[in-house]
Amino acid sequence: MPDLANIHPSRRLATPAGDEVDIDLDMIPLVRALWALGLSTAGCCQDLGASIRCGPRWATGPGRRRHADFYAGQAWLKMPADDARTMLDLLLRALPRTRERLNRWTRADAWDVFIYLVADGDSAVPSCWAQLHFPREHLKEVTTALNTATAPSTRGEAGEQRDEAAAPPRAR
């Protein structure tokens, strides 16, 4: 049972891998721009706070309202961590204010980017997924910047070949 309700108007799209997924209407241009750059997405929401607030009854609790208030007006994007880094690198070059949005996390227009530690047997390891939260009003600006970006190389900064086999499966 999903933790979040799909409360926003959405459209069913075919992913680059051919799967069909529902994407919130306001997120479609950004998701398409990411896919055009060869980057993967695994989930998205145009207003995470609203989705949390309208979540299933069994998922309510004292922290639920706090999280809904905190994420109100925030878009959410889940991507493989390497793809999220590539996207942010492109934005740092295309939109100079991205640096402040990433580094000044106490500001109203800040971005929160998380790569969680998850359990792997008896060890805590970094997740292969990044969770990006940013003000919904940034969607158009970010999409425009990514639409003018060039596709990333499959080489890392140091020139090493990116290990595609180690990347998480391309979802949506």
Side-chain angles (χ1 to χ4, degrees):
M1 193 176 292
D3 223 11
L4 297 175
N6 187 0
I7 65 164
H8 303 116
S10 62
R11 184 177 316 141
R12 186 155 290 221
L13 297 179
T15 68
D19 301 317
E20 290 196 353
V21 294
D22 293 327
I23 305 288
D24 291 352
L25 293 181
D26 287 355
M27 296 297 290
I28 289 173
L30 174 59
V31 169
R32 283 187 170 154
L34 292 167
W35 291 349
L37 289 166
L39 303 177
S40 296
T41 60
C44 65
C45 182
Q46 65 191 37
D47 187 334
L48 185 58
S51 291
I52 293 171
R53 186 173 314 285
C54 295
R57 289 186 188 149
W58 62 265
T60 60
R64 191 107 182 147
R65 181 180 173 136
R66 179 175 56 90
H67 280 94
D69 290 345
F70 182 79
Y71 288 114
Q74 297 284 304
W76 167 71
L77 189 58
K78 179 180 178 181
M79 303 174 69
D82 287 342
D83 286 1
R85 181 178 172 198
T86 299
M87 180 189 87
L88 293 172
D89 286 348
L90 291 169
L91 290 175
L92 283 164
R93 289 190 285 279
L95 295 172
R97 74 185 92 182
T98 301
R99 184 174 321 301
E100 244 181 55
R101 289 174 174 167
L102 290 174
N103 293 343
R104 303 288 192 158
W105 49 268
T106 58
R107 295 187 179 186
D109 70 338
W111 285 39
D112 291 323
V113 180
F114 303 106
I115 298 175
Y116 294 104
L117 293 176
V118 296
D120 183 15
D122 292 334
S123 299
V125 299
S127 170
C128 60
W129 300 104
Q131 311 281 336
L132 298 92
H133 308 91
F134 54 93
R136 182 178 179 178
E137 63 262 14
H138 294 181
L139 281 169
K140 185 174 183 178
E141 175 186 37
V142 168
T143 301
T144 299
L146 292 173
N147 279 332
T148 61
T150 57
S153 165
T154 57
R155 300 240 170 231
E157 287 186 22
E160 71 276 4
Q161 181 70 33
R162 185 170 157 191
D163 184 3
E164 295 297 330
R170 295 201 179 271
R172 50 179 160 149

